[in-house]
């Protein structure tokens, strides 16, 4: 997969990134390269800095030093909406939707910037055909059409997770980052979510943080292992499975 | 009961024919505004209607902040007041320079007054939402209100700036001397502003305002800068508050420091919240009720602010969705056809609840008038504040009313649960 789509520049290039909170270094000398079109999973024990890595790439927090590039352009130091406008979109580990707005409104809001309507206060939002079509398409994709008029806060947990994915992909971003999309789901729900992710990120670059190893090894083209804020190994699932450092630091301990 | 309320606030999508009903409601509103002075033509009612119209525009503008964008402002009257001053200065300038600008265009300059200040101060103010914004708005409100007494050339000091609306060029023979003509001017601007503010909620910006209200963090990850969203919303709110201030300036022919003070800011917050922030028409109901109470209660009792406080606390605690929220929670029941099962328990509850309210009123008035004051007149029945009979009556009404009322309130809750369950089964409730 990665060989087929990859270009010359990587979709995401993280180089020598460090993040300190006071004297505590959460992320040390982080290097990560994700090729275009690749499905890349980041795994690691709890507290390894996986979510912090997501936050650093998506602009939620700024790195103390080092640089992050998106399709070759420097994005470290930019604010989240600036990075999002350049084609990177992320979901959150804890469901982070617009609770009082309906499912339809949630997805539509995520479509508006990408369709060029920005801060427009002179257009009727209900009569924008391309917005309506795209919103309907995404609702169909995430199987929530029948719940379109329900406030997002009243959805079931699994539905909220699906909506979370829907909002993330709605802008049509070419780089999609999902933070534990299947956390807290049952087996059946996880299977559903994985096939959903597989289908919706077709042809896009995907970076995923995941605890469920069957999801990781089933979905990812490449895997990076993060331990104490440092990537100790990066490679194909087969390489990661065989890597002695990974076995020692992570897989061995938890006996996967 | 409150949890039931919030979960019922939204229902299933409108069926076809919704747009007909939508335009019908607006047309009905406009017809009511036209016909109202024909039904109630006394000077007192015309004055009341004019004040209510102004209050509605002001409350709707406030809801752009509170209900739509989630910004709690304690200083919204600043824009209202500056709009009033801008309108007064403009009217005086029109008269002294002989510009051909008739009175109906003046509220526009009021709006610009409110807008200009919002544009200047808003960028800093809207950097953060929540407590930071609330505190800054309080500070700015006090700052401008006290400046208005110091900067005499602009604000006219204690006396304020006076003007004469009849001195402006006539429009279609209307001098705007009589209150009836002023009423129609206010009604016209009310309709115009309400349509514009409603339309605003239906634009991409309006929807993103809602998103910023619900979750400003996530908005950043769908491409929007919440700061910019809040700033634009703040400017719109400032403009329409200025329009309301301009209308007030026309109505009273004066603008003074009371326009931009904390009391005015509190009153608009109060109206908007009581009416309900979650629905567009909420602040309209709130503005009508609060203005009406304000006009009515002040002539009945000296402690009218106490009643305002009690109503406000009651709404905050038991119906955070306001009057609009209370009304709209019945919509799924109407659709499911189960409303009639709840009505009897409402009717039963009215008697003890009214008794309880009478007891509370009697107690408050007894305390207020114990050391002098007029005798209490409660719905035509006279009470003497110093008489033990009055105290006993109040005590019995409060204690007995509360005891019985609580039983009937439980009946309502039970009936409500049953009706809601049926509505849920029939798919009218999420």
């Amino acid at each position: 997969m990665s060989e087929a789509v990859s270009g010359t520049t990587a979709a995401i290039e993280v180089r020598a990134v460090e993040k300190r909170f006071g004297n505590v270094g959460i992320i040390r000398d982080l290097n990560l390269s994700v090729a275009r079109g690749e499905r890349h999973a980041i795994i690691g024990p709890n507290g390894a800095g996986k979510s912090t890595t997501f936050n650093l790439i998506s602009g939620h927090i700024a790195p103390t030093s080092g640089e992050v590039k998106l399709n070759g352009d420097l994005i470290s130091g930019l604010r989240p909406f600036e990075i999002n406008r350049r084609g990177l979109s992320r979901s959150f580990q804890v469901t982070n939707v617009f609770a009082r707005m309906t499912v339809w409104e949630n997805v539509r809001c995520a479509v508006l910037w990408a369709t060029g309507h920005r801060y427009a206060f002179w257009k009727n939002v209900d009569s924008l055909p391309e917005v309506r079509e795209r919103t309907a398409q995404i609702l169909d994709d995430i199987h929530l059409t029948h719940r379109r008029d329900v406030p997002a806060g009243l959805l079931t947990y699994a539905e909220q997770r699906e909506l979370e994915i829907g909002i993330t992909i709605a802008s049509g971003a070419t780089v999609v980052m999902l933070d534990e999309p299947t956390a807290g789901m049952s087996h059946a729900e996880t299977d559903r979510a994985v096939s959903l992710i597989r289908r919706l990120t077709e042809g896009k670059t995907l970076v995923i943080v995941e605890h469920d190893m069957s999801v990781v090894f089933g979905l990812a083209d490449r895997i990076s292992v993060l331990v104490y804020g440092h990537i100790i190994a990066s490679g194909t699932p087969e390489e990661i499975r065989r890597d002695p450092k990974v076995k020692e630091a992570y897989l061995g301990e938890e006996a996967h | 009961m409150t949890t039931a309320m919030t979960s019922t606030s939204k229902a299933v999508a409108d069926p076809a024919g919704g747009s007909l009903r939508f335009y019908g409601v607006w047309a009905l509103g406009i017809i009511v505004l036209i016909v109202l002075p024909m039904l109630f033509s006394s000077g007192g009612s015309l004055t009341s209607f004019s004040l209510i119209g102004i209050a509605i525009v002001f409350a709707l503008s406030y809801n752009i902040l509170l209900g739509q964008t989630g910004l709690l402002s304690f200083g919204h009257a600043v824009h209202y007041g500056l709009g009033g001053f801008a309108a007064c200065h403009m009217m005086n300038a029109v008269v002294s320079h002989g510009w051909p600008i008739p009175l109906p265009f003046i509220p526009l300059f009021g709006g610009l007054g409110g807008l200009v200040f919002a544009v200047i101060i808003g960028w800093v103010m809207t950097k953060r939402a929540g407590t930071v914004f609330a505190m800054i708005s309080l500070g700015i409100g006090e700052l401008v209100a006290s400046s208005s007494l110091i900067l005499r050339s602009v604000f006219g000091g204690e006396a304020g700036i006076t003007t004469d609306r009849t001195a402006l060029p006539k429009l279609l023979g209307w001098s705007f001397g009589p209150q009836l003509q002023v009423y129609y001017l206010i009604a016209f601007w009310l309709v115009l502003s309400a349509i514009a503010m409603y339309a605003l909620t239906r634009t991409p910006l309006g929807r993103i305002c809602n998103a910023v209200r619900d979750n400003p963090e996530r908005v950043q990850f769908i491409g929007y800068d919440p700061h910019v969203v809040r700033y634009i919303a703040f400017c719109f709110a400032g403009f329409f508050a200025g329009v309301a201030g301009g209308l007030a300036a026309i109505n009273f022919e004066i603008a003074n420091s009371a326009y931009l003070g904390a009391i005015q800011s509190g009153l608009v917050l109060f109206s908007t919240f009581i009416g309900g922030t979650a629905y567009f028409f909420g602040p309209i109901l709130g503005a009508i009720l609060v203005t009406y109470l304000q006009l009515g209660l002040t002539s009945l009792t000296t402690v009218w602010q106490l009643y305002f406080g009690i109503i406000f606390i009651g709404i905050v605690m038991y119906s955070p969705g306001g009057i609009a929220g209370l009304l709209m929670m019945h919509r799924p029941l109407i659709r499911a056809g189960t409303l009639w099962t709840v009505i009897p328990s409402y009717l039963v509850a009215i008697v003890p609840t009214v008794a309880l309210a009478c007891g509370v009123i009697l107690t408050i008035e007894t305390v207020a008038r114990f050391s002098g004051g007029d005798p209490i007149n409660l719905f035509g029945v006279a009470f003497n504040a110093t008489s033990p009979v009055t105290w006993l009556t109040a005590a019995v009404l409060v204690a007995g009313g509360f005891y019985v009322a609580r039983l009937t309130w439980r009946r309502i809750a039970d009936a409500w649960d049953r009706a809601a369950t049926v509505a849920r089964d029939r798919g009218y409730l999420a």
Side-chain angles (χ1 to χ4, degrees), chain A residues 22-35:
Chain A
N23 280 329
V24 189
I26 303 294
I27 300 288
R28 331 165 271 137
D29 191 28
L30 185 78
N31 291 285
L32 176 70
S33 180
V34 180

Side-chain angles (χ1 to χ4, degrees), chain B residues 32-57:
Chain B
V32 166
L33 284 175
I34 294 170
V35 171
L36 215 50
M38 299 168 189
L39 301 176
F40 307 92
S41 54
S42 75
S45 346
L46 283 180
T47 309
S48 304
F49 295 151
S50 302
L51 294 181
I52 288 172
I54 295 166
I56 291 174
V57 176

Side-chain angles (χ1 to χ4, degrees), chain B residues 147-416:
Chain B
S147 303
S148 72
L149 293 172
I150 302 163
L151 306 173
R152 293 178 161 275
S153 58
V154 184
F155 298 103
E158 298 264 352
I161 301 282
T162 54
T163 184
D164 177 7
R165 66 184 179 225
T166 58
L168 275 77
K170 284 187 170 57
L171 183 77
L172 306 170
W174 283 33
S175 68
F176 294 100
Q179 187 65 34
L180 181 68
Q181 294 182 358
V182 174
Y183 165 81
Y184 278 120
L185 189 155
I186 292 171
F188 170 76
W189 274 94
L190 166 60
V191 171
L192 208 63
S193 310
I195 291 174
M197 283 188 267
Y198 182 76
L200 184 64
T201 68
R202 306 282 294 259
T203 63
L205 177 80
R207 294 307 152 123
I208 293 297
C209 283
N210 296 165
V212 167
R213 171 199 69 198
D214 279 11
N215 193 341
E217 184 196 52
R218 185 58 189 260
V219 165
Q220 301 189 53
F221 295 92
I222 56 170
Y224 283 91
D225 183 353
H227 184 190
V228 172
V229 176
R230 283 193 290 260
Y231 178 58
I232 302 175
F234 187 79
C235 291
F236 272 106
F239 175 79
F240 286 107
V243 169
L247 291 172
I250 289 170
N251 188 58
F252 297 113
E253 299 185 293
I254 188 171
N256 57 37
S257 62
Y259 275 43
L260 13 85
I263 293 176
Q264 197 69 250
S265 291
L267 216 54
V268 71
L269 162 62
F270 194 72
S271 306
T272 309
F273 198 90
I274 283 186
T277 58
Y279 297 95
F280 183 79
F281 68 91
I284 299 178
L285 300 181
I288 294 171
L289 181 78
V290 169
T291 312
Y292 199 74
L293 277 181
Q294 201 187 7
L295 294 171
L297 282 181
T298 43
S299 61
L300 288 176
T301 171
T302 51
V303 290
W304 55 275
Q305 281 153 321
L306 191 59
Y307 292 103
F308 267 28
I310 292 173
I311 294 171
F312 190 60
I313 292 169
I315 296 267
V316 170
M317 285 179 65
Y318 296 108
S319 175
I323 302 167
L326 271 181
L327 293 176
M328 293 306 273
M329 68 187 271
H330 292 89
R331 200 162 64 162
L333 298 201
I334 295 172
R335 291 219 173 109
T338 55
L339 186 67
W340 61 271
T341 61
V342 191
I343 300 281
S345 56
Y346 281 171
L347 295 176
V348 172
I350 285 178
V351 178
T353 308
V354 168
L356 172 62
C358 287
V360 171
I361 293 169
L362 207 51
T363 310
I364 291 172
E365 292 304 322
T366 301
V367 175
R369 302 183 192 197
F370 186 72
S371 46
D374 299 330
I376 305 163
N377 181 346
L378 188 66
F379 304 118
V381 185
F383 289 95
N384 182 350
T386 53
S387 154
V389 179
T390 305
W391 306 344
L392 192 68
T393 315
V396 168
L397 282 173
V398 169
F402 182 67
Y403 180 74
V404 182
R406 252 173 52 135
L407 298 177
T408 60
W409 294 341
R410 280 194 203 129
R411 269 182 62 119
I412 291 181
D414 290 343
W416 183 267

Side-chain angles (χ1 to χ4, degrees), chain A residues 9-13 36 69-73 86-87 174-175 205:
Chain A
T9 50
I12 296 178
E13 185 78 53
R36 285 188 192 170
K69 282 181 175 174
L70 177 69
N71 297 324
D73 298 329
R86 289 168 184 237
T174 53
V175 179
T205 309

Side-chain angles (χ1 to χ4, degrees), chain A residues 95-145:
Chain A
T95 303
N96 206 351
V97 297
F98 306 111
R100 285 167 62 191
M101 302 171 77
T102 64
V103 171
W104 173 266
E105 300 279 7
N106 266 268
V107 173
R108 184 166 65 180
C109 280
V111 167
L112 285 173
W113 187 275
T115 45
H117 297 293
R118 305 186 172 204
Y119 301 106
F121 50 80
W122 53 89
K123 301 174 184 170
N124 182 347
V125 74
D126 292 321
S127 52
L128 303 170
E130 79 280 26
V131 171
R132 190 168 52 230
E133 278 157 29
R134 199 145 149 185
T135 308
Q137 179 61 49
I138 284 157
L139 280 192
D140 193 43
D141 286 341
I142 59 174
H143 310 295
L144 284 179
T145 305

